[in-house]
Amino acid sequence: MSVRLFYDHWPQYNRRLRDVVAAMSTEQLATRPSPDLFPIWAIVGHTAGTRVYWLCEIAGEPGADETPFTNVSAGGWEDDLDHPRGPDELATALDSTFRIIEGCLDRWTPNDLEGTIERTYDGSVQVHSRSSILQRMFTHEAYHCGELSQTLGIAGLPQIDLWRPNLPGEV
């Protein structure tokens, strides 16, 4: 049995984030909640890049080479604010990195979640279970979807409604 059942709404949440971002203009994606905070495109890029960092770089899962983030240890898109990303590029990043998540949800079993992975961060060794990595990523994405929705709402743009009922024909 895979762990997909435990994260059965994650594909829907990803799709709703992706659909809102894909429908935005480049100018809308440049919206910032305040002058000293990241623009929308950078937050979305950070969210997608984090998937590759934790699952490929840390957990050793395959798939980074099929995303725009083939070298996440060198920095993320949000680190280069002089190179804004457009809606198509962000939608592709979300789609390609979510395929890595889906692979883990399909392959990992409840017993796999107990397995641990070490990472050295800031000079110290940290031990993470696969379960904690999935929980970290899931809550990380929910956090940023909330942050993005607040910014979108303030700017009068459509928000990301993760929990609305499905529309007819929507999965």
Side-chain angles (χ1 to χ4, degrees):
M1 176 174 125
S2 78
V3 298
R4 180 176 283 277
L5 174 66
F6 306 127
Y7 296 93
D8 62 333
H9 281 80
W10 203 345
Q12 173 182 294
Y13 300 162
N14 180 69
R15 201 169 34 258
R16 290 184 177 170
L17 168 61
R18 180 218 185 277
D19 290 350
V20 167
V21 169
M24 294 177 72
S25 69
T26 303
E27 294 77 26
Q28 291 170 330
L29 288 167
T31 302
R32 294 173 184 248
S34 72
D36 59 325
L37 296 176
F38 283 144
I40 291 171
W41 70 261
I43 296 167
V44 174
H46 162 76
T47 302
T50 297
R51 297 167 172 181
V52 176
Y53 174 75
W54 279 100
L55 292 175
C56 300
E57 185 85 10
I58 302 302
E61 290 294 321
D65 57 332
E66 297 173 21
T67 76
F69 306 100
T70 56
N71 187 11
V72 290
S73 59
W77 283 357
E78 71 277 14
D79 296 323
D80 185 4
L81 294 176
D82 293 331
H83 187 183
R85 307 300 175 149
D88 292 341
E89 196 172 11
L90 292 166
T92 296
L94 289 168
D95 288 342
S96 64
T97 59
F98 198 74
R99 284 192 288 274
I100 298 167
I101 291 173
E102 294 212 285
C104 293
L105 296 180
D106 288 337
R107 283 190 310 277
W108 290 4
T109 67
N111 288 339
D112 291 331
L113 296 181
E114 296 174 6
T116 59
I117 298 163
E118 289 186 3
R119 103 173 155 141
T120 302
Y121 182 77
D122 206 19
S124 66
V125 175
Q126 299 176 342
V127 179
H128 301 276
S129 67
R130 281 186 172 77
S131 176
S132 73
I133 290 172
L134 285 181
Q135 290 174 25
R136 173 188 290 253
M137 291 176 49
F138 190 74
T139 58
H140 177 260
E141 293 192 18
Y143 171 86
H144 284 305
C145 281
E147 175 185 32
L148 290 166
S149 286
Q150 186 174 29
T151 301
L152 292 165
I154 291 168
L157 298 168
Q159 297 177 19
I160 305 158
D161 188 350
L162 298 179
W163 302 285
R164 71 168 166 73
N166 285 336
L167 302 172
E170 189 178 39
V171 179

